[in-house]
Amino acid sequence: MACCSDFEYAKLGYEGQGEFEQTVMQRPNADSIYYDEFLQFQEKLQKRIVSLRNKRNLVQEDMADYELSVRQYQRMEQDPTAIVSLWQLFKIAKAHNLNIDELLHFD
């Protein structure tokens, strides 16, 4: 449900409602002062995801039961930079009967 008319969006500096609603996934920028720290975070998360799956004796194909494509999940396990969305993390947490905060708790 739209919250604003085209006129109201125009007053906010947007040409049209459709343009405002379009979103672009922001990826880490190598120029950011947080870049290296974020890469370390992704690597920890990758190890955690692999560990959780192995502890439950699941194979990568089992993750398709949790709305993760096999290829997408394989990329996340192979390349930590492929872990980019909260939606991915939410589904991985659900696959392991965890809340997101539990998924992000690294030992």
Side-chain angles (χ1 to χ4, degrees), residues 1-16:
M1 172 182 241
C3 71
C4 304
S5 68
D6 285 341
F7 176 74
E8 289 168 314
Y9 279 102
K11 287 191 328 188
L12 295 172
Y14 302 106
E15 289 183 21

Side-chain angles (χ1 to χ4, degrees), residues 41-94:
F41 168 73
Q42 284 179 306
E43 289 170 2
K44 287 180 185 178
L45 187 55
Q46 173 198 31
K47 290 176 184 171
R48 174 101 165 112
I49 289 169
V50 172
S51 173
L52 286 168
R53 183 180 58 78
N54 287 335
K55 284 180 184 176
R56 293 189 56 216
N57 295 317
L58 299 174
V59 294
Q60 291 176 334
E61 289 77 10
D62 291 327
M63 300 311 288
D65 294 338
Y66 303 97
E67 299 182 15
L68 292 159
S69 76
V70 174
R71 184 65 195 127
Q72 175 189 37
Y73 188 80
Q74 288 171 336
R75 278 194 305 269
M76 287 189 281
E77 283 198 2
Q78 293 169 1
D79 177 10
T81 64
I83 305 167
V84 295
S85 81
L86 188 55
W87 183 232
Q88 289 171 324
L89 295 181
F90 180 82
K91 291 189 281 186
I92 291 168
K94 289 296 179 190

